[in-house]
Amino acid sequence: MDSNLFSRRRAERFAQLLDEANGGRRHHVRSRADDQLTALVAVGRRLTVAPPAVEVDPEFRTGLRAMLLATAEREGIGAPAEPSSRRSADAGRSRLLPAVTARRARARGAILVGVAAGAVALSGISAASENAVPGDALYGMKRSTERAQLALASSDVSRGQLFLDFARTRLAEAAALRGDEDGFSAVLDDMDADTRQGVRLLTTAAAQRSDPAALDAINSFLTGQRRAVGGLLDDAGRADRDRTRRSLALLDAARKRSDALRAAIACGLPAPAGSDALGPAPASCPGER
């Protein structure tokens, strides 16, 4: 699919093909893009006749609705009619381009239909990819879904919590890859990267707001995650044990950072000026060694 698929002409032709597929009147024209568009229409028809038997995540549904509404508002789809005085002033000009206006409206509508149909299809594939591990055909879709969730997140705290959720997901993948030294190590690398990102975002939010609430999410994550990561040591080979211990050391460092920042907030220290991969590095409170 090339980047010009939803140019106005192709979008208009897509709308025509959708009309025909849904029993509308036939348009006795052909387009060079028909082969590509016919495949998309077939997808739309399959979704209509046999929609995916997958429950769409409420957050995905909310994000998709917001995106479609924003697109409709930006493109002027469904906008209220203009006042009669302005309609009179523009009447002559409007009569000059009625066909163009209609085509543009249909093209914009086709774009929204395409976006919605594609999003619904992807939501089903996304759900099917939840248990995929590196090397599976749907693993790329799984990671793309995670990036989409991050893009829809409304704040750094939400993104931080998502990264910690992804770290939990990487842990489950690592458990499935035990015995595959390269795959196991690579997944733990990703898990540690997600852990650092999540902890950094949440500690930064806590320091900026002088509010330890975000640290509660870190500590809750660390409690369960450390126990589960420790379970990877059972019956593990030497290489897997050594790699697992590095992840455990990171979790211990994150806990120390969270506890130090909580203490700094409690004793009224200003937001730390220094920062590293785990976020703000606070000074010790007066009286502490």
Side-chain angles (χ1 to χ4, degrees), residues 15-37:
Q16 291 175 346
L17 292 173
L18 283 176
D19 287 343
E20 293 175 5
N22 289 313
R25 72 178 183 85
R26 293 190 58 80
H27 300 77
H28 299 288
V29 295
R30 289 283 300 169
S31 166
R32 287 178 296 179
D34 276 9
D35 289 341
Q36 283 182 315
L37 296 177

Side-chain angles (χ1 to χ4, degrees), residues 30-54:
R30 289 283 300 169
S31 166
R32 287 178 296 179
D34 276 9
D35 289 341
Q36 283 182 315
L37 296 177
T38 301
L40 284 177
V41 172
V43 171
R45 288 294 300 159
R46 287 199 297 272
L47 290 171
T48 301
V49 174
V54 175

Side-chain angles (χ1 to χ4, degrees), residues 168-217:
R168 294 186 183 98
T169 300
R170 302 289 86 79
L171 174 59
E173 294 167 2
L177 291 174
R178 294 175 66 175
D180 177 356
E181 183 177 330
D182 292 338
F184 181 82
S185 180
V187 170
L188 288 191
D189 287 344
D190 288 345
M191 180 186 76
D192 290 351
D194 288 335
T195 297
R196 292 188 190 93
Q197 287 271 38
V199 170
R200 181 178 59 81
L201 286 168
L202 292 171
T203 54
T204 300
Q208 290 175 344
R209 302 173 185 180
S210 295
D211 183 353
L215 303 178
D216 295 338

Side-chain angles (χ1 to χ4, degrees), residues 56-195:
V56 179
D57 186 271
E59 291 185 4
F60 177 86
R61 190 191 303 274
T62 300
L64 174 60
R65 181 178 183 277
M67 179 184 69
L68 293 177
L69 288 176
T71 302
E73 181 178 356
R74 184 174 62 252
E75 297 294 339
I77 300 172
E82 295 179 347
S84 56
S85 58
R86 183 168 180 177
R87 286 202 307 268
S88 298
D90 293 344
R93 183 176 58 186
S94 298
R95 283 195 297 270
L96 295 176
L97 299 173
V100 173
T101 301
R103 284 199 300 270
R104 287 180 179 175
R106 294 174 62 197
R108 290 169 178 169
I111 291 172
L112 286 180
V113 169
V115 169
V120 171
L122 288 177
S123 69
I125 297 173
S126 172
S129 71
E130 285 182 357
N131 295 321
V133 297
D136 290 349
L138 292 178
Y139 190 68
M141 173 60 67
K142 181 179 183 178
R143 298 303 294 267
S144 295
T145 300
E146 292 176 353
R147 289 192 290 271
Q149 289 179 277
L150 288 171
L152 290 172
S154 59
S155 68
D156 282 347
V157 170
S158 297
R159 279 184 284 275
Q161 291 172 329
L162 280 172
F163 273 117
L164 297 186
D165 286 341
F166 300 157
R168 294 186 183 98
T169 300
R170 302 289 86 79
L171 174 59
E173 294 167 2
L177 291 174
R178 294 175 66 175
D180 177 356
E181 183 177 330
D182 292 338
F184 181 82
S185 180
V187 170
L188 288 191
D189 287 344
D190 288 345
M191 180 186 76
D192 290 351
D194 288 335
T195 297

